[in-house]
Amino acid sequence: MGFIPIARTPHTAALMRGELLRYLAELAWAPDAILENKALRWRESGSGDLIVGAGDGPSAVEISLGLDSDGRIATVFAPDRPRSATEPNLPTPWRGHFSDYRLHLDRWLAFAGEVAWEIDGKDEVYWQGIIESWAINSFR
């Protein structure tokens, strides 16, 4: 609830870019945001992927969404996600994979995913997870 700070990090453009890229990558888990977030900018790439962008000025970002044969998000890619909690931030290729889609509460959701940094030409997975349950909470 914000009473106890967990970390103190200056609000830099690199930090905002990294957080926006993570948000965009997690659209596979937030199908309502795909339809309802009017601040997202969408376009097609020449290779058949979708490009989604957010933010403006130095914090503006775009991420590439690769779709599977059913039109669901299978991969995400950003060529330059800032990598480091402190300066200097290194723009580093960053990618994710989503799978095990299930129809849940009238929404298709990926129940498995992982993300990796590309370091020295090799993907270094730093997070992977499997969703065991998913619910909509209402805070009214």
Side-chain angles (χ1 to χ4, degrees):
M1 296 181 68
F3 296 123
I4 302 170
I6 302 298
R8 294 186 197 275
T9 303
H11 291 271
T12 64
L15 175 67
M16 291 303 300
R17 291 185 80 250
E19 290 302 303
L20 278 172
L21 285 166
R22 185 173 55 83
Y23 171 78
L24 295 176
E26 291 178 356
L27 287 174
W29 287 318
D32 294 345
I34 292 171
L35 297 174
E36 300 296 329
N37 187 339
K38 305 298 184 213
L40 299 180
R41 297 180 301 274
W42 295 89
R43 65 182 174 86
E44 290 183 55
S45 74
S47 64
D49 290 347
L50 289 175
I51 306 295
V52 60
D56 54 13
S59 298
V61 296
E62 287 189 329
I63 196 166
S64 175
L65 305 176
L67 306 180
D68 66 14
S69 60
D70 293 314
R72 299 181 191 120
I73 299 170
T75 62
V76 297
F77 177 73
D80 60 353
R81 183 171 184 211
R83 180 174 57 98
S84 179
T86 60
E87 296 292 337
N89 289 287
L90 306 169
T92 305
W94 182 74
R95 68 187 85 246
H97 300 273
F98 295 94
S99 60
D100 191 18
Y101 273 86
R102 301 179 199 172
L103 187 60
H104 185 69
L105 299 175
D106 297 324
R107 293 159 175 84
W108 284 102
L109 298 168
F111 271 67
E114 71 176 28
V115 288
W117 296 103
E118 182 184 312
I119 300 172
D120 297 327
K122 181 180 176 197
D123 283 355
E124 300 288 341
V125 174
Y126 77 94
W127 183 90
Q128 53 186 188
I130 297 171
I131 293 177
E132 294 182 0
S133 66
W134 191 89
I136 297 175
N137 292 322
S138 177
F139 299 101
R140 294 179 198 237

